[in-house]
Amino acid sequence: RSLVGSEMCIRDRYALKQAGLREGLKLGFVSYTEEKRNEELAKFKSKRKVRGGSATVVHDMEISTGLALKYLNNALNLKKEGARDAFIHWQGWIAHFHPSEKCMQGAIDILADLDTIWPEGADPDKVEDNLMEVKQCGDEVELDETQFWSCTEYTCGLWMTFHAMSVQDDAYISPTGEDSFTGADMMSTLHGFIDKFFMCEVCRRHFLQVLAQ
């Protein structure tokens, strides 16, 4: 399934909520009732250990995910063609598959308020100002690279996050048993994030070359 489409098609895929999921709202690529969402969160909490990881790993991923929003928030990035759609897909991936419930909730809230944070056609400088007020993983997560417990730098936690979100159990299966977020969708979302927002130009070129293969 292609990720290219109208904004409404993209937005319809993700959780759009203010004070709780309303009946029939969509999270990820499938429709969920509030009851179903609560069931899935309970299941998620019961098996939230990251493969080969621990609370230490999740802690570092929370910092890197929060820093990712901070570092991508540059008007030069935000004005790139396709940047808004890439941002929507990135937040949708976090909302559905991030190992941290704090970051998942932050992404859901960002998408719910997207028309205020990043209106279509908005001045990139204004969007930058709006995003400065947003906390991807909540107020409790310190956006400080000296606070890592296992990693020594931002990219370490970011790569762990990419991996963890791509290997979650049942990550690509909807409640009906059908594919809801395919491997191709995941790779396209990752490509969009790296292409539009990753600031290390050498790293960006290398990663995109690897993805192209």
Side-chain angles (χ1 to χ4, degrees):
R1 180 188 305 120
S2 172
L3 286 173
V4 178
S6 68
E7 177 192 350
M8 186 58 66
C9 290
I10 297 170
R11 291 285 299 283
D12 280 351
R13 292 173 172 176
Y14 300 126
L16 302 176
K17 77 168 198 152
Q18 297 293 341
L21 284 170
R22 298 188 296 277
E23 195 79 12
L25 278 177
K26 294 183 178 181
L27 177 63
F29 287 77
V30 290
S31 180
Y32 287 82
T33 62
E34 184 170 1
E35 181 181 5
K36 184 64 182 178
R37 171 63 175 159
N38 290 336
E39 288 177 5
E40 296 228 335
L41 276 177
K43 185 192 302 182
F44 174 82
K45 291 175 185 177
S46 71
K47 59 177 183 179
R48 77 176 288 174
K49 283 189 178 180
V50 180
R51 184 178 300 178
S54 65
T56 297
V57 176
V58 174
H59 168 85
D60 286 358
M61 287 192 289
E62 287 175 340
I63 293 177
S64 283
T65 303
L67 286 172
L69 179 61
K70 178 181 177 180
Y71 293 158
L72 73 79
N73 187 27
N74 179 302
L76 293 176
N77 288 333
L78 304 178
K79 71 179 182 181
K80 292 177 181 176
E81 184 178 357
R84 188 171 183 270
D85 283 354
F87 180 78
I88 292 171
H89 288 304
W90 169 241
Q91 292 298 324
W93 195 19
I94 295 172
H96 206 57
F97 300 132
H98 201 286
S100 166
E101 190 176 337
K102 296 174 189 175
C103 299
M104 293 174 73
Q105 186 61 54
I108 290 170
D109 292 341
I110 288 170
L111 290 168
D113 204 26
L114 189 67
D115 287 338
T116 299
I117 296 171
W118 194 339
E120 189 173 11
D123 182 341
D125 290 319
K126 177 60 176 175
V127 176
E128 183 177 352
D129 289 342
N130 292 341
L131 286 173
M132 286 179 65
E133 304 300 320
V134 175
K135 299 292 182 66
Q136 177 75 72
C137 301
D139 292 328
E140 298 175 12
V141 176
E142 295 185 64
L143 304 185
D144 183 349
E145 292 194 42
T146 67
Q147 297 302 310
F148 285 124
W149 291 349
S150 176
C151 288
T152 59
E153 58 185 12
Y154 159 67
T155 52
C156 166
L158 189 63
W159 302 144
M160 288 197 302
T161 302
F162 291 157
H163 177 71
M165 292 200 298
S166 67
V167 299
Q168 288 292 332
D169 292 340
D170 303 323
Y172 305 127
I173 304 301
S174 73
T176 62
E178 299 175 351
D179 287 349
S180 57
F181 190 84
T182 67
D185 292 331
M186 184 270 290
M187 294 299 286
S188 180
T189 298
L190 180 56
H191 183 285
F193 174 82
I194 296 294
D195 184 37
K196 305 301 181 185
F197 304 124
F198 205 61
M199 297 301 290
C200 170
E201 184 61 27
V202 174
C203 305
R204 173 183 168 275
R205 287 200 308 267
H206 174 72
F207 200 87
L208 292 178
Q209 286 172 357
V210 172
L211 285 179
Q213 297 172 3

